[in-house]
Amino acid sequence: MIALIAQYGLLLVFLNVLAAQAGVPVPAVPTLVVAGALAAGDRLPLAGIVAAALAGSLLGDLAWYLAGRRYGAGVMRTLCRVSLSPDSCVKQSELRFHRWRGRVLLVAKFVPGLSMLAPPLVGAMGLPPRNFVLLDGLGALLWAGVAIALGYAFAGEIDRVLDAVANAGTVAIEVAAALLAAYVLVKWWRRERLLRSLRMARIGVEELSRAVAAGRAPVVIDVRSAVARQLDDRMIPDALLTDVEGVVQAVVAIPFDRELVVYCNCPNEVSAAHAAQALMARGYRRVRPLQGGLDAWDAAGYTVLRLAPAPAAVADSPAPTVV
């Protein structure tokens, strides 16, 4: 690694950070740490390393930010569908945005899974470009600065570790590959176990539409978060608006023998399945997630409402409009 960075210098730092922020599964922190160690020995310019890292990070993040502004919540859902943790991917990002707003960019690169999702999320939520560049630049500077500073401060120790790795030859490479494979396998196994635990009978959009037309409409429950509804203002007519955490409290006045249909627009209908499990544990037996969620309902051509923008004081009870 030292030979590569010493030979290609700042270009390698720039390309590595750019690839990492673009979503390529290549870690950038080790490169920054080694670059910091080389700067301590006057083999690379410290200011140049910081500038290269900042440029690569901003360029990669800006692409995701623009995608979020143009395509909205669909970008996050697409990213989470290919994630090894699609069940919590969008939700955790939404929760952090709800708490931090645009300031989430200051800490996003320190939180696994949030680094790539934060730029399209704030883009979809309408963060102005000037604010994005400022906050994302500060976050990138803090993240890269910490890694580079660690390399600079512990240059001697890092040189010894890399020498030991180099002396180990192919054994070190095989151990690293085995650890990476084990990590991916564990994440995949957890994903599959979660999806198996959430397998239950679903209701299709056609069946739900027929029930509504026949006057046998079940209670339809929208369990998306408040941030998710800001990103996607569609809803099924007459749906009860809540979230996964508050779904049990939201149905306290509904008899246990009523049929409930729960929907979201998250990968694998995971939020809807979690809510359905909570309702069944409460005593409701006729509970089914909507197959395909809100996207499937809209794609089938059935009526959707639009949640009109609401003042902050009444943001939890927006008024719907028909589209």
Side-chain angles (χ1 to χ4, degrees):
M1 184 180 293
I2 287 180
L4 285 174
I5 297 178
Q7 181 177 357
Y8 298 104
L10 304 182
L11 178 61
L12 181 58
V13 172
F14 169 77
L15 293 176
N16 191 178
V17 173
L18 175 63
Q21 296 309 119
V24 180
V26 289
V29 170
T31 301
L32 294 175
V33 171
V34 172
L38 291 177
D42 293 326
R43 286 175 281 181
L44 281 179
L46 182 60
I49 297 171
V50 174
L54 183 60
S57 180
L58 276 173
L59 188 58
D61 287 349
L62 185 61
W64 287 118
Y65 167 79
L66 294 175
R69 283 183 69 89
R70 178 167 183 177
Y71 300 108
V75 176
M76 277 80 72
R77 290 200 297 273
T78 299
L79 289 173
C80 287
R81 283 192 178 97
V82 300
S83 168
L84 287 173
S85 302
D87 50 293
S88 60
C89 186
V90 169
K91 181 180 176 183
Q92 293 302 320
S93 301
E94 289 171 350
L95 288 176
R96 290 187 173 95
F97 178 84
H98 186 68
R99 179 178 302 173
W100 290 80
R101 298 292 172 178
R103 295 188 304 276
V104 72
L105 294 169
L106 296 174
V107 298
K109 289 177 174 55
F110 295 95
V111 182
L114 185 60
S115 178
M116 194 194 313
L117 285 170
L121 178 60
V122 299
M125 295 300 294
L127 184 71
R130 182 175 60 181
N131 293 5
F132 169 78
V133 172
L134 174 62
L135 292 170
D136 192 65
L138 289 174
L141 188 61
L142 180 62
W143 166 74
V146 169
I148 295 168
L150 286 173
Y152 195 96
F154 298 98
E157 289 77 2
I158 291 170
D159 283 344
R160 285 193 290 273
V161 169
L162 291 177
D163 286 343
V165 171
N167 292 333
T170 58
V171 174
I173 298 176
E174 291 170 355
V175 170
L179 290 175
L180 178 61
Y183 170 80
V184 173
L185 183 61
V186 168
K187 296 288 286 185
W188 174 84
W189 177 75
R190 287 179 178 174
R191 167 186 168 135
E192 291 303 307
R193 186 178 65 173
L194 172 69
L195 295 179
R196 283 198 300 270
S197 72
L198 295 176
R199 284 175 185 161
M200 60 181 68
R202 257 76 165 169
I203 182 172
V205 293
E206 295 83 3
E207 184 181 352
L208 176 59
S209 177
R210 288 196 300 269
V212 171
R216 299 179 287 101
V219 177
V220 179
I221 307 172
D222 183 327
V223 295
R224 295 175 296 160
S225 68
V227 175
R229 294 192 195 102
Q230 287 179 290
L231 288 169
D232 185 347
D233 61 358
R234 298 172 299 165
M235 65 171 286
I236 295 176
D238 300 320
L240 176 64
L241 303 182
T242 180
D243 55 29
V244 176
E245 288 73 20
V247 67
V248 173
Q249 291 74 26
V251 300
V252 291
I254 299 175
F256 287 124
D257 60 349
R258 284 295 305 273
E259 182 179 8
L260 308 179
V261 171
V262 188
Y263 76 84
C264 61
N265 60 350
C266 50
N268 306 304
E269 299 96 52
V270 171
S271 292
H274 275 303
Q277 286 186 334
L279 291 169
M280 294 173 72
R282 178 70 176 81
Y284 293 92
R285 289 291 173 262
R286 303 173 62 198
V287 186
R288 288 186 289 174
L290 180 63
Q291 183 74 42
L294 180 59
D295 289 338
W297 177 268
D298 193 9
Y302 299 122
T303 301
V304 295
L305 305 182
R306 294 288 181 182
L307 297 168
V314 292
D316 292 332
S317 56
T321 56
V322 180
V323 296

